[in-house]
Amino acid sequence: MVRFALRLGFRGLVELQQALRAELSWRSNGPLQLLDRRQTAGGHAELMETSLQATCHAISQSLRHIPAFDMQQAIELLSQGGKRVTLGGGRFSQSLAIYLERHLRQLRPQVMLLPEVPHQRILPIVDAG
């Protein structure tokens, strides 16, 4: 274990244990505790800027990892007017599905957004074929 800790860059097993405890303690905090800690550290403006940078970085990294061929295929499928596009999301991704649906409706016909309530999705999914 001591060699493992040294290979990870710690000065010893005790330092690794302290870092692990700090990490577990930090991860056990809920979003509100994390928000309170960040607000007191730099204020709302700094929190907004940090959030903006993190979001832009996450989107950039996501897009960089999509192969160009896959992106091209998705664009071609979405641009074919004769095909129906059915969109839906989960608890968080539903807002992204709504956003995409509103944009696609401006560009093409036959765009459908599934209801948010799971049991209301059954018939539209069956009808999708």
Side-chain angles (χ1 to χ4, degrees):
M1 284 301 294
V2 173
R3 284 188 288 183
F4 176 69
L6 293 172
R7 287 188 64 110
L8 290 176
F10 295 99
R11 286 180 279 176
L13 186 58
V14 173
E15 188 176 317
L16 171 64
Q17 289 172 332
Q18 290 170 342
L20 183 59
R21 281 191 193 104
E23 175 77 13
L24 292 173
S25 174
W26 179 80
R27 286 182 183 262
S28 68
N29 286 327
L32 293 178
Q33 290 89 1
L34 295 173
L35 179 63
D36 288 342
R37 187 180 305 154
R38 288 182 180 172
Q39 282 181 344
T40 58
H44 294 291
E46 186 177 326
L47 179 63
M48 182 64 89
E49 182 62 29
T50 302
S51 176
L52 178 63
Q53 288 176 4
T55 301
C56 290
H57 178 73
I59 291 170
S60 174
Q61 289 300 318
S62 293
L63 291 175
R64 280 194 181 101
H65 286 90
I66 298 173
F69 176 79
D70 291 349
M71 185 64 79
Q72 186 62 38
Q73 290 290 58
I75 291 168
E76 287 178 20
L77 285 170
L78 288 173
S79 65
Q80 293 176 3
K83 295 190 177 205
R84 179 176 45 207
V85 175
T86 304
L87 302 165
R91 185 168 41 169
F92 295 108
S93 59
Q94 181 71 14
S95 60
L96 298 174
I98 293 168
Y99 188 71
L100 179 59
E101 182 254 350
R102 290 187 179 156
H103 282 284
L104 286 177
R105 279 190 182 270
Q106 295 177 14
L107 301 172
R108 54 161 298 145
Q110 296 184 329
V111 177
M112 183 181 77
L113 181 66
L114 293 173
E116 289 187 52
V117 182
H119 72 272
Q120 293 177 349
R121 293 179 171 212
I122 296 169
L123 290 177
I125 290 172
V126 170
D127 289 342

